[in-house]
Amino acid sequence: MTRGLDYYEVMGLTRSANDIDIRRAYRRLSLKYHPDINHEKAAHEEFLRICEAYEVLSNPKTKGFYDLYGEDALKDGLPDGKGGLKGPMYRFNPEDSPKAIFQRFFGTNNPYEALEALSSQFEAMTSEEPPAKGKNKVYPLELTLEEIFHGCLKKVTHKRKVLLFSGEYMEEERTLTVDVKPGLPTGTRFVFEGEGNKTPKKEPGPVIFVLKPKPHPRFVRRGSDLVHKVTMPLHHALIGTSVEVRTLDDRDLKVPIADIVRPGSTVVVPGEGMPLPAAPHARGNLILDIDLLFPTHLSETQKMLLRSAFFLPPPTEQNEEQKKALRDYEAAFKHELKGWATVFKR
């Protein structure tokens, strides 16, 4: 950055300016010269000078030092009496500092968002103050996944207090109807204005019911998806199987698993999740979260058979004795009376 800046002149201030004056000047000038708003070539450099001036003058420590010793001492330091300099006290990074300063001041890096916030604040200051309202009363609306899946009209009751002119309170029970559309997301708020506690000097506030799914024995909701936990024996994970799932709309879904399943695997079944509120005929996904069940013990014979399976030569490399042994083993395995293939299916 160029030396020889008069920070007060950059901000259009006198040296008697206070913190409020400095903040007002930065608010006005930073938005005027922000390069995303002002596309003139000189605007970017002016914006950097404004940010540097504000950062120095808004900090009492750097402002006081600058007022006493000037810019060079602030950036280079003061003589230490030994031929060197003590300092510096301040460094401005033109790449990062302006963004950080603007973000701290306005709470956003977007100048248009900052302008919108200022406009809203001004509108709030100049508009008429609305009548005072009572506090919000918030209740959970706990529904089953089936109710959320299909949608429902839910009757809910709540009690509110009514303050009479005599100073006595009367309790009143109110019944409301909540219209739950299919697939509404968790946390959806159903607002009933004017259903809160009543007092003579305040309008009743709203009663709010917040959608919350009840725990389900088969599914956990994850946005528009349904997650189903599957515990799969290791042999099914290796040779394939099918998983049967009872859906929320009472269908028996059979999901084939043909690929080898690894620990932590998931299988996604498109279109078998929750309805999408914006497109009720479309649905999220069913996600099978698979947990592998390993055997707790293997006999020596089982270990030998596993080794033989993993190291079995391909058919083109098997000799006649190996082929005959395999045929004999397969026949014994599948024998209707003496085989054990039916046990394997479990």
Side-chain angles (χ1 to χ4, degrees):
M1 290 295 292
T2 305
R3 290 292 182 99
L5 291 179
D6 183 329
Y7 292 140
Y8 290 98
E9 183 178 333
V10 170
M11 301 289 284
L13 300 170
T14 66
R15 289 184 172 263
S16 61
N18 58 29
D19 182 61
I20 295 176
D21 298 328
I22 295 167
R23 289 180 62 84
R24 284 175 177 167
Y26 178 75
R27 180 185 292 111
R28 175 174 54 83
L29 294 172
S30 64
L31 290 173
K32 179 179 178 181
Y33 290 101
H34 195 289
D36 288 350
I37 294 176
N38 191 330
H39 301 292
E40 294 181 8
K41 291 183 178 180
H44 179 66
E45 289 298 321
E46 185 65 21
F47 180 71
L48 296 181
R49 288 190 285 269
I50 291 163
C51 289
E52 180 179 346
Y54 173 73
E55 188 171 37
V56 171
L57 298 181
S58 63
N59 184 325
K61 187 175 180 180
T62 53
K63 179 179 183 295
F65 193 94
Y66 171 75
D67 288 345
L68 284 174
Y69 303 109
E71 181 190 5
D72 288 339
L74 182 70
K75 294 181 177 178
D76 298 331
L78 290 171
D80 59 4
K82 301 177 182 178
L85 294 172
K86 183 180 180 181
M89 175 175 279
Y90 175 72
R91 280 282 186 267
F92 181 77
N93 182 345
E95 293 296 325
D96 300 323
S97 295
K99 297 177 184 177
I101 296 166
F102 192 89
Q103 168 74 37
R104 283 199 303 270
F105 189 91
F106 288 102
T108 177
N109 281 322
N110 187 336
Y112 294 100
E113 190 175 330
L115 282 169
E116 178 66 26
L118 288 175
S119 176
S120 299
Q121 291 173 11
F122 179 78
E123 184 178 340
M125 291 170 61
T126 55
S127 60
E128 292 186 10
E129 186 176 347
K133 271 190 176 181
K135 293 182 179 179
N136 296 354
K137 298 187 72 175
V138 182
Y139 303 97
L141 178 63
E142 295 187 307
L143 299 179
T144 65
L145 278 182
E146 285 81 0
E147 288 175 316
I148 301 172
F149 180 90
H150 294 288
C152 63
L153 290 175
K154 197 74 174 177
K155 296 285 187 182
V156 292
T157 60
H158 79 99
K159 293 180 179 180
R160 70 176 181 180
K161 293 179 178 179
V162 178
L163 179 62
L164 306 177
F165 284 97
S166 63
E168 298 178 347
Y169 275 103
M170 178 184 75
E171 193 169 67
E172 181 181 32
E173 184 169 278
R174 306 279 292 178
T175 300
L176 306 171
T177 301
V178 182
D179 186 4
V180 181
K181 303 297 184 185
L184 284 178
T186 299
T188 297
R189 294 160 64 90
F190 302 92
V191 181
F192 294 87
E193 294 289 350
E195 285 290 336
N197 294 333
K198 293 181 66 175
T199 63
K201 295 183 179 180
K202 288 186 179 180
E203 290 187 4
V207 166
I208 302 169
F209 288 88
V210 182
L211 183 61
K212 177 183 178 184
K214 292 180 179 178
H216 196 275
R218 298 192 305 280
F219 301 108
V220 173
R221 185 177 188 182
R222 187 185 296 163
S224 60
D225 297 334
L226 291 172
V227 181
H228 178 65
K229 189 82 170 179
V230 177
T231 301
M232 182 178 292
L234 180 61
H235 60 273
H236 283 169
L238 294 175
I239 59 97
T241 185
S242 62
V243 176
E244 294 184 357
V245 183
R246 185 74 170 176
T247 64
L248 291 177
D249 53 355
D250 292 327
R251 291 178 294 116
D252 291 316
L253 194 65
K254 185 171 283 191
V255 182
I257 309 291
D259 297 330
I260 292 176
V261 177
R262 294 173 174 80
S265 294
T266 58
V267 175
V268 178
V269 185
E272 290 293 345
M274 298 293 287
L276 304 181
H281 297 295
R283 286 165 59 173
N285 300 324
L286 170 63
I287 300 173
L288 303 183
D289 188 1
I290 300 175
D291 184 23
L292 295 185
L293 181 63
F294 285 77
T296 57
H297 173 74
L298 290 175
S299 67
E300 291 302 318
T301 302
Q302 289 172 319
K303 292 177 184 178
M304 181 272 294
L305 291 172
L306 281 174
R307 282 193 293 269
S308 68
F310 285 122
F311 295 102
L312 179 69
T316 56
E317 299 178 12
Q318 295 171 8
N319 58 39
E320 289 302 319
E321 290 184 357
Q322 291 171 334
K323 291 179 180 178
K324 183 179 182 303
L326 285 172
R327 288 194 299 270
D328 292 342
Y329 180 84
E330 184 178 4
F333 177 65
K334 294 180 178 179
H335 193 280
E336 292 184 3
L337 298 178
K338 299 179 181 180
W340 60 98
T342 56
V343 177
F344 181 75
K345 293 177 183 178
R346 291 184 297 190

